[in-house]
Amino acid sequence: MEWLSSQNHIFLALLATLMTWAMTALGAAMVFFFKEINRRVLNTMLGFAAGIMIAASFWSLLAPAIEMAEDSAIPAWLVAAIGFIGGAAFLYLADRIIPHMHLNSKEGESEGIPTHLKRSILLVFSITLHNIPEGLAVGVAFGAIANGITDGSLMSALAIAIGIGLQNFPEGAAVSIPLRREGLSRSKSFFYGQASGIVEPIAGVLGAALVMFVKPVLPYALAFAAGAMIFVVVEELIPEAQSGSHESTHLATAGCIIGFAIMMILDVALG
């Protein structure tokens, strides 16, 4: 019965991350209705995504990690710090190795190892990097509940999935619409936009399976996902959201505040 329960929670993690992928696809589908995306709207959406990720990193990941580590032989703050720094370091290495390009980058300004890949592919790789810690966060939350080693409930895990899904919508649009502006067809722009979210179900299932069968790593895994998400926010989302006029950067800040508040409410109310 324990194995059956584990299978159920892995399946739930898969369903939840498929939902977040679907939200990415829904955002990417905006390319069928718009060819341009206003800079102020884009900055607001990016700020909103950053706010949700910051709130999820603390309320849904770091705080539970510290609570779970209180009974371990290692100080709880050290467990959280190791996992948090490890997550940031992982994304840093991926950022240095995987070829990608940010939304506001110009032609020839790709990062990672040198490549001749098209700009469209590099933009997809950039958003895909964002989605690895997001899928991992959802999977780890469901794995923790299956193990019975958190005071949270199924609703708290769903809150994380809903929050990640909400911020995936603008990310999908932020990929597909610029690709359309660069000359790609609507169908290709949509395909590339939704493809950036395909890594989330993979990371979600792996995260759930890992913490369910290797119980001691759960606090580290939660903090790891938090560190990776904060790295994405500071490295990419906030700088991109702060480009443009003063008015658009103010809107990005407002979007961040609103996103944080929504994710905090979701986590506290549902958790």
Side-chain angles (χ1 to χ4, degrees):
M1 293 297 295
E2 182 180 352
W3 167 244
L4 179 61
S5 175
S6 298
Q7 286 184 318
N8 286 341
H9 282 82
I10 290 178
F11 181 65
L12 287 175
L14 174 62
L15 288 181
T17 46
L18 284 174
M19 181 274 293
T20 61
W21 178 19
M23 290 297 292
T24 302
L26 190 62
M30 292 298 101
V31 74
F32 293 109
F33 305 97
F34 306 99
K35 187 176 180 179
E36 298 284 341
I37 182 168
N38 185 279
R39 185 74 235 184
R40 292 179 296 178
V41 174
L42 177 61
N43 283 8
T44 303
M45 292 192 304
L46 291 173
F48 179 80
I52 284 183
M53 292 179 71
I54 293 171
S57 295
F58 175 75
W59 295 100
S60 303
L61 300 171
L62 270 180
I66 294 172
E67 182 180 351
M68 294 173 198
E70 287 179 350
D71 296 329
S72 66
I74 304 175
W77 59 265
L78 182 57
V79 171
I82 291 172
F84 187 83
I85 294 172
F90 171 78
L91 257 291
Y92 172 77
L93 291 175
D95 191 71
R96 299 280 293 182
I97 295 172
I98 299 176
H100 64 284
M101 180 178 289
H102 302 308
L103 293 173
N104 59 356
S105 298
K106 299 178 181 178
E107 195 67 40
E109 293 182 347
S110 63
E111 298 182 19
I113 61 175
T115 181
H116 298 292
L117 292 173
K118 295 181 179 179
R119 174 181 169 86
S120 57
I121 301 297
L122 294 175
L123 284 172
V124 173
F125 282 175
S126 177
I127 302 300
T128 300
L129 281 175
H130 297 187
N131 291 333
I132 293 174
E134 295 167 12
L136 181 63
V138 175
V140 166
F142 279 97
I145 294 168
N147 264 332
I149 47 179
T150 173
D151 292 333
S153 64
L154 180 62
M155 295 305 293
S156 65
L158 288 176
I160 300 176
I162 292 170
I164 297 299
L166 286 174
Q167 66 93 34
N168 276 357
F169 180 87
E171 280 193 353
V175 175
S176 64
I177 293 177
L179 291 179
R180 173 62 177 160
R181 187 175 62 244
E182 292 180 9
L184 272 70
S185 67
R186 283 188 171 89
S187 58
K188 283 188 176 180
S189 299
F190 168 75
F191 175 79
Y192 287 135
Q194 64 82 31
S196 65
I198 196 172
V199 72
E200 288 196 7
I202 299 172
V205 169
L206 290 176
L210 175 65
V211 301
M212 284 163 53
F213 301 117
V214 191
K215 181 177 177 179
V217 307
L218 178 56
Y220 296 95
L222 287 167
F224 181 96
M229 289 176 70
I230 292 298
F231 180 90
V232 168
V233 170
V234 178
E235 173 75 7
E236 300 187 16
L237 290 183
I238 289 178
E240 289 170 4
Q242 290 296 314
S243 61
S245 65
H246 287 299
E247 182 182 358
S248 65
T249 59
H250 290 327
L251 289 172
T253 303
C256 183
I257 297 298
I258 293 170
F260 186 99
I262 289 175
M263 186 63 220
M264 179 179 63
I265 292 169
L266 280 172
D267 191 89
V268 175
L270 297 181

